[in-house]
Amino acid sequence: MRIRNGTSADAESIAALHTASWRSAYRALMPAAYLDGPLAAEHRAKWRARTAALSDDRCLLLAEQDGELRGFVHLDTAADGRVHVDNLHARPAHVGTGVGRTLLHHGLAWAARRHLGRDVYLEVLDGNARAISFYERAGGVRTAERPLRMAAGFTLAEIEYTWPAAAVSRYLEGGRPASDTVPPPAAG
């Protein structure tokens, strides 16, 4: 698997994967009319804008294998100074294969290099049991719960998970990948 920085040329493929991921993971959590309706166009517009505005203060990493985009992670800096994992998605056919873990590790290593001493956090929808289990196994600590008001007019519950700065700094010390080189997947 190859990890590389995303560019504006990747906007359409990121949006398509993002939409497929939501349609798979959130089918029981969000209205079907939203998932099957305006979601794809919203994601295309979002990723065109985001990839056009990439900067040193943001991180967009893509996981590719055999010419296919398998997943992506996007991090930015929140107003409170923490690093925000804004998106972490694997193509539905590759969930559970290590794509998300690899991307999360690379995202945390980026945060450790660029924003040493800052906590890293993300939000996950309550009810997304697979993702919640994944973040807990990856060392995330549940730090908040709150409502998420979607622009489409519905509200969901979300849970915040945080990796404290001390844990993030270990990604520089060899505890996790601290470079852009990814080891080959384990056999089996």
Side-chain angles (χ1 to χ4, degrees), residues 108 112 116-118 164-175:
L108 291 170
L116 189 61
R118 295 189 191 179
V168 173
S169 70
R170 287 195 295 269
Y171 286 75
L172 290 176
E173 300 165 4

Side-chain angles (χ1 to χ4, degrees), residues 50-124:
R50 284 185 175 173
T51 58
L54 292 172
S55 67
D56 287 344
D57 212 33
R58 293 175 179 248
C59 176
L60 176 60
L61 298 174
L62 310 183
E64 297 176 322
Q65 190 165 354
D66 301 327
E68 177 187 45
L69 178 61
R70 299 280 175 102
F72 70 94
V73 65
H74 178 256
L75 299 91
D76 55 21
T77 305
D80 65 5
R82 297 183 298 162
V83 178
H84 182 220
V85 179
D86 178 62
N87 281 276
L88 174 59
H89 294 277
R91 186 171 299 284
H94 299 289
V95 170
T97 65
V99 173
R101 178 177 35 87
T102 298
L103 286 165
L104 179 61
H105 291 176
H106 280 270
L108 291 170
W110 174 85
R113 287 191 308 272
R114 295 290 183 136
H115 301 287
L116 189 61
R118 295 189 191 179
D119 292 347
V120 176
Y121 78 101
L122 56 75
E123 299 95 357
V124 60

Side-chain angles (χ1 to χ4, degrees), residues 97-158:
T97 65
V99 173
R101 178 177 35 87
T102 298
L103 286 165
L104 179 61
H105 291 176
H106 280 270
L108 291 170
W110 174 85
R113 287 191 308 272
R114 295 290 183 136
H115 301 287
L116 189 61
R118 295 189 191 179
D119 292 347
V120 176
Y121 78 101
L122 56 75
E123 299 95 357
V124 60
L125 293 181
D126 190 11
N128 188 350
R130 186 175 193 142
I132 289 167
S133 176
F134 169 76
Y135 296 131
E136 289 175 353
R137 286 190 321 271
V141 177
R142 188 181 290 221
T143 49
E145 296 180 27
R146 59 185 158 260
L148 171 64
R149 289 170 188 79
M150 300 291 291
F154 55 92
T155 301
L156 302 165
E158 71 178 7

